[in-house]
Amino acid sequence: SLVKETRILKKKVYGQPMIGESAAIKEIKELIDKVAPTDARVLIQGANGTGKELVARNLHQKSNRSAMPYIEVNCAELIESELFGHEKGSFTSAIKQHKGKFEQADGGTLFLDEIGDMSLAAQAKVLRVLQEKKLSRVGSDKDINVDVRVLAATNENLKEEIEKGHFREDLYHRLGEFEIHQPSLCECPEDILPLANFFREKYSAELHRKRTGFTAEAERLLLSHSWSGNIRELQNKIRRAVLMAKDTLIDYTDLNITPAIQADASEAP
């Protein structure tokens, strides 16, 4: 049915729901519910691998723009013509006119990931779009009106970057009408096992493996690990374990976590 197809499509676009029952995650979910229906710009801050893009997708999904485009841009790999578009012939390889990410996101949401890595020149142009709701493509003087909600994320301390002269203070205030701190996994240990079980079920289905749970030793190891790579590291470890486990229950030996901690886990009563 059309409804079922729409649900499948949305699942592909938005992917993982926000998993976790810690106070920090509950607070983020509540803030998303309050802020999403508005057009307020949100700055999401947190370490690498904490799931900042997931917060952005949830904000879009729960907004009045959810039926419109959702475009993600990694500012660390950004070329200005990708963001603002270019006219044919504006530089050597510009063989045809190109609509930039802002135009592609018109009516919807543009997510600027790793905004702290954006060049000062691009920052000035983004500020203009936020202030005037218009842009000009590279190689053009013509203004194009755009209606885009901008969400941004960073793993940098932007206040420090402002002091160093690497980031514009006026852009920081424009982007951060609301700020969300996405906690690291070590700040929310009670979310580790719910997340591990979510990934176990997800990858069991995707990889056609029957993995019904974790042994007590595996759970202990998951809880004692430092998770410096946060949710992304956990996700990768569980995917590998689902693939490699010798039994329906995933054991600590299947988790590929450092031998020193494994030795501790093996001494569990």
Side-chain angles (χ1 to χ4, degrees):
S1 73
L2 185 60
V3 174
K4 190 177 179 185
E5 283 177 19
T6 305
R7 276 191 198 136
I8 291 168
L9 184 62
K10 281 202 167 187
K11 198 170 182 184
K12 281 182 183 172
V13 173
Y14 302 118
Q16 182 193 327
M18 291 200 71
I19 307 294
E21 292 303 319
S22 63
I25 294 300
K26 282 180 178 173
E27 193 177 318
I28 289 170
K29 288 178 184 176
E30 285 171 13
L31 191 56
I32 287 171
D33 287 341
K34 284 179 186 171
V35 176
T38 73
D39 263 352
R41 291 185 283 270
V42 182
L43 179 62
I44 306 153
Q45 303 186 76
N48 281 333
T50 51
K52 297 184 291 294
E53 67 285 348
L54 192 58
V55 175
R57 288 181 183 191
N58 273 268
L59 282 163
H60 174 71
Q61 190 177 8
K62 295 185 176 190
S63 76
N64 301 325
R65 297 172 177 262
S66 60
M68 301 302 284
Y70 173 79
I71 305 290
E72 291 188 8
V73 177
N74 187 324
C75 297
E77 303 161 2
L78 181 68
I79 302 164
E80 273 186 48
S81 64
E82 281 297 304
L83 193 55
F84 305 104
H86 61 250
E87 295 296 339
K88 181 180 177 180
S90 56
F91 49 89
T92 309
S93 58
I95 54 173
K96 61 180 180 180
Q97 186 190 69
H98 171 71
K99 283 187 177 182
K101 302 295 186 187
F102 265 107
E103 283 182 80
Q104 291 172 35
D106 193 28
T109 304
L110 180 67
F111 174 47
L112 300 173
D113 197 11
E114 301 308 346
I115 189 80
D117 293 328
M118 184 180 277
S119 70
L120 285 166
Q123 287 177 39
K125 290 185 177 181
V126 168
L127 184 65
R128 184 196 172 215
V129 180
L130 297 184
Q131 286 172 333
E132 301 176 16
K133 295 190 175 180
K134 58 179 69 169
L135 59 85
S136 52
R137 294 182 187 139
V138 175
S140 169
D141 297 327
K142 182 186 167 191
D143 282 339
I144 297 165
N145 293 320
V146 285
D147 170 27
V148 176
R149 183 189 196 178
V150 174
L151 306 172
T154 183
N155 62 357
E156 309 269 359
N157 183 326
L158 288 187
K159 289 179 180 174
E160 286 181 7
E161 295 302 299
I162 289 165
E163 284 176 18
K164 292 176 192 169
H166 297 162
F167 202 82
R168 295 181 63 116
E169 187 171 8
D170 45 7
L171 180 58
Y172 169 73
H173 291 302
R174 284 273 175 183
L175 290 170
E177 290 179 308
F178 282 90
E179 292 189 21
I180 290 178
H181 169 68
Q182 183 70 359
S184 57
L185 209 45
C186 66
E187 292 175 73
C188 305
E190 60 268 55
D191 293 335
I192 292 171
L193 292 183
L195 278 162
N197 279 301
F198 171 82
F199 291 130
R200 175 185 55 75
E201 288 175 12
K202 172 184 163 75
Y203 291 122
S204 293
E206 283 183 18
L207 301 170
H208 308 291
R209 298 287 198 276
K210 190 180 179 184
R211 307 291 182 238
T212 56
F214 298 93
T215 64
E217 291 88 348
E219 287 188 353
R220 183 178 169 217
L221 181 56
L222 288 168
L223 291 170
S224 66
H225 188 56
S226 60
W227 300 114
S228 57
N230 292 296
I231 295 172
R232 194 174 297 143
E233 181 188 0
L234 176 64
Q235 185 173 358
N236 291 341
K237 294 288 187 192
I238 300 302
R239 188 179 191 280
R240 183 189 181 279
V242 166
L243 193 62
M244 303 299 289
K246 302 164 201 69
D247 206 340
T248 53
L249 280 181
I250 294 171
D251 195 19
Y252 76 92
T253 54
D254 303 318
L255 287 168
N256 194 34
I257 291 176
T258 52
I261 301 176
Q262 274 191 7
D264 293 343
S266 63
E267 291 163 17

